[in-house]
Amino acid sequence: MDKFFAHSTEDSGKADWHLLRDHLRDTGHLAAGFAASFKVDRAARLAGLLHDLGKYTQAFQTKISTQPDLKVDHSTAGATIVRDLGENTRDKFMAELLAFAIAGHHAGLADRMELVDRLKKKLEPLDPVWRDEIVPEANDLMPSNWVPEKDKLAFQLAFLGRMIFSCLVDADYRDTEAFYTQVKGETKDRDWPELGDIIDGLIADFNSHMAGKQTEPKPSEVNRLRADILAHVRSRAGDTPGFFTLTVPTGGGKTLTSLGFALDHAKRHGHARIIYAIPFTSVIDQTAGVFKSVLGDAPILEHHSAIEEERVTEKEQRDKLRLAMEDWAAPIVVTTNVQLFESLFANRPSRCRKLHNIANSVIVLDEAQTIPRHLLRPILEALRELAANYRCSIILCTATQPALGAPDFRDGLPLCKDRELAPDPPELARRLKRVTIRTGGRLHDSDLVEALEREPQGLVIVNSRKHALALYRAVKDAGLDGVIHLSTRQYAAQRRDILKGVKQRLENGQPCRLIATSLVEAGVDLDFPRVWRAEAGLDQIAQAAGRCNREGKRPIDESIVTVFKAPDNPPPFEIKQLAADFARMADQHDDLLSPTAMRAYFAEVYWRLGPERLDAEGILEDFRINGMEADFAYRKVAEKFRMIESGMAPVIIAQDQKARAALKKLGIDDVRPGSIARDLQPYIVQVPPKARNRLLANGHVRFEREERFGDQFCVLVTDSFYKPEIGLLWEDADYLGLENSII
């Protein structure tokens, strides 16, 4: 055969078909460029050269020429060949990692035994011309700057393998897309500006915005303190990249302070992007909005989705363009912890594609204390690896700093005192103290109603959606004015509108009695004179306190946060344990909101849980080295690593015009479901699976375009089940387990 092709077109003469040698060379070149920042470009290039080696067969050429339904395995050949390459022990082991990446570049990274079985398959013979057309080099594959740690080596190598996989699949997607767009005479603008090219302008915009805050006739003491904190933190931008903590009490301006540091630090050290990770989708739009107001038209990518973006079918495996999704090439990315951390432990091409762009980034982890404890150890190892071998700077940013450094946390992060960016956190806590915390004892809902009768403006935060709804109804039935309910029964877009209304009522001095779940604690900018918080851990109580006297305009002794027990609505088991952890250390500290008290609380929590429950899924044990074999369970880990354990199911509320317009797009041929899923993100309510099944069985919800998208888009049909002031209701809520949903 004279020519071998990677991709075909409708031209039967094959004049514009994609030559295989060009695809392999160009993919290798792109992959090497993606991997250059972490010095593994030679290995990534080799992966690109060999990934489609199985297309050098008569069977594959027949498939794309005349028999498109012919099944041909074109991924295994390169994985088989690469294991025989390499001239020394280090390169042989790197070849093992490349075998995982090449074999999985369509279906995903496999577990060790799955890969072994696959490499035993009898394959179509390769035409020997491949060696002349691509000339692979398999030496010096190990990154030159890599810092191995003996007791963490297996995790490090598995992480490296996933990073190489990321470079390969992104390069493969991009080269394939470039070929087809050229054939069609189209152009796709997928290029973002480099952060280094625009950083001076971004810093100038930031400086201009912050200067405007100081032009008021008489800046408040709070604003002066915020300016001092910002100046101090920015003065540290030249510090060596690595781990930092930023411990600033609520009201101290930590969001803008962390952004200012990230911009300056990226400029000083040449970081490629800034990634801002937020614990809850309910706050992502707020944070992105703040950044856009400060940085003007800066290229900011928001990436979050509650609808699974990938449904793998045979057709999609053949059509790489349908699998293309965000690759985080933007200079500034605002995302969620779920997207960030689940991607770092993923095995699917679409989830891993972005990983190489995380390297050489400044990563701000907002509200760092919210990292799920059942996955804490593997997450810390991933962060450690990003800082050690991928040139990332990581800022743990929160008012309630978790005790993640040694000796408070066994084998903790390198968080020594000189890596704290804030000036004297204990003194900041004293100066920014806004509230008085009191113990309220047992308070029934009737007691809370009476308390709210005496306070025209007050916030009550409870531990479940069930309790929030019951209390809201009780306060409403009492005839009080300005009663508002807020929980994840309501979709995110509506919650944003509700919060705008709450802020307006507070500013206007109108009655405002908000009954909410813990979602209101996640960085939501509210300022109530009084707050009641159902018993919880100290970090949640501190977050609740951040919604009381936020601007410091009221006397501290009149700004009371009352922590109470709800005898008719006991907390879920986990929150009950955290409340007990808090109780064990509370009497030892005069100021429960001080950094010292917070560190003691987290040390108590981690001591109770122990190492096993901080890696409850056994993630770290799934990466082992046996001799020269990489015994890695990539697929198994991806299935087990779930940030949110609730197993809730999404229901789309299409009462808003934008939601209806997005659903209408599902009827368009060749539509990308991932983009529509992101458009629908603000209109989703998560419900227990049993509840959704009941709604389905009774015809109250349906799967939109089920014949094309399966169960991806579940839409509420019976509009009466959703009431804006309450949210989504369904029958037999208690029986279906609603009481266990905490937000």
Side-chain angles (χ1 to χ4, degrees), residues 18 64 73 151 158 236 266 287 324 390 451 491 497 726:
H18 199 182
I64 63 170
D73 178 350
D151 59 338
R236 300 281 303 277
T287 302
Y390 299 88
Y491 57 80
D497 291 340
I726 292 176

Side-chain angles (χ1 to χ4, degrees), residues 637-651:
V637 164
E639 292 173 353
K640 293 195 301 183
F641 192 97
R642 289 290 178 265
M643 295 280 286
I644 301 172
E645 296 181 281
S646 63
M648 305 291 270
V651 172

Side-chain angles (χ1 to χ4, degrees), residues 30-335:
L30 283 172
F34 295 152
S37 67
F38 45 98
K39 310 297 184 184
V40 72
D41 43 306
R42 291 182 64 85
R45 184 187 304 277
L46 182 59
L49 287 172
L50 298 179
H51 79 286
D52 275 354
L53 202 63
K55 294 183 178 182
Y56 276 107
T57 62
Q58 181 63 52
F60 183 82
Q61 297 304 310
T62 299
K63 172 185 174 65
I64 63 170
S65 297
T66 60
Q67 300 181 37
D69 293 329
L70 183 65
K71 294 186 181 298
V72 179
D73 178 350
H74 67 268
S75 303
T76 305
T80 302
I81 293 293
V82 78
R83 293 210 312 167
D84 297 330
L85 300 176
E87 299 177 355
N88 56 52
T89 300
R90 287 162 61 90
D91 289 336
K92 289 286 187 185
F93 204 96
M94 285 295 291
E96 282 270 302
L97 301 185
L98 297 184
F100 275 103
I102 293 169
H105 78 272
H106 279 298
L109 291 167
D111 293 348
R112 169 74 190 180
M113 291 313 300
E114 295 169 346
L115 178 64
V116 169
D117 290 342
R118 187 167 169 183
L119 297 183
K120 292 177 181 177
K121 289 174 57 176
K122 185 176 181 180
L123 302 173
E124 294 285 335
L126 299 176
D127 191 299
V129 72
W130 73 268
R131 293 185 180 275
D132 298 323
E133 290 199 345
I134 61 174
V135 194
E137 295 182 5
N139 51 26
D140 297 326
L141 300 180
M142 184 68 77
S144 58
N145 65 332
W146 205 60
V147 182
E149 296 184 49
K150 184 177 180 181
D151 59 338
K152 304 180 187 301
L153 185 60
F155 183 88
Q156 289 182 294
L157 287 168
F159 197 93
L160 177 61
R162 196 182 282 105
M163 279 292 200
I164 294 171
F165 179 64
S166 169
C167 296
L168 171 61
V169 295
D170 196 17
D172 188 19
Y173 289 163
R174 280 181 171 268
D175 188 63
T176 301
E177 181 180 69
F179 167 73
Y180 279 114
T181 53
Q182 181 182 16
V183 167
K184 295 175 183 177
E186 300 173 350
T187 57
K188 291 195 177 183
D189 183 10
R190 292 198 173 277
D191 293 326
W192 296 79
E194 298 289 336
L195 182 60
D197 294 337
I198 62 173
I199 192 74
D200 289 335
L202 295 177
I203 292 174
D205 287 339
F206 183 87
N207 291 341
S208 176
H209 179 88
M210 299 312 297
K213 286 181 169 290
Q214 299 305 313
T215 58
E216 57 186 78
K218 187 179 180 181
S220 66
E221 180 183 351
V222 172
N223 279 341
R224 286 195 296 269
L225 182 55
R226 287 170 179 164
D228 291 344
I229 294 170
L230 175 63
H232 178 88
V233 172
R234 293 184 76 181
S235 73
R236 300 281 303 277
D239 287 12
T240 305
F243 283 102
F244 298 93
T245 54
L246 177 59
T247 310
V248 177
T250 299
K254 63 182 175 62
T255 298
L256 289 179
T257 297
S258 61
L259 176 61
F261 174 82
L263 290 167
D264 293 345
H265 191 67
K267 176 178 171 61
R268 293 287 293 272
H269 298 285
H271 290 290
R273 64 190 38 80
I274 295 168
I275 299 172
Y276 208 96
I278 299 168
F280 303 111
T281 57
S282 58
V283 191
I284 193 169
D285 295 311
Q286 173 183 296
T287 302
V290 169
F291 288 179
K292 289 174 182 176
S293 69
V294 173
L295 303 178
D297 296 328
I300 298 174
L301 171 69
E302 298 174 53
H303 188 192
H304 55 94
S305 179
I307 301 178
E308 183 60 44
E309 295 184 13
E310 181 178 16
R311 290 290 188 273
V312 179
T313 66
E314 282 189 30
K315 186 175 188 299
E316 286 179 333
Q317 286 185 4
R318 293 198 303 269
D319 188 351
K320 296 175 184 177
L321 297 183
R322 291 179 64 88
L323 284 174
M325 61 176 291
E326 311 290 354
D327 58 8
W328 285 16
I332 301 176
V333 178
V334 181
T335 189

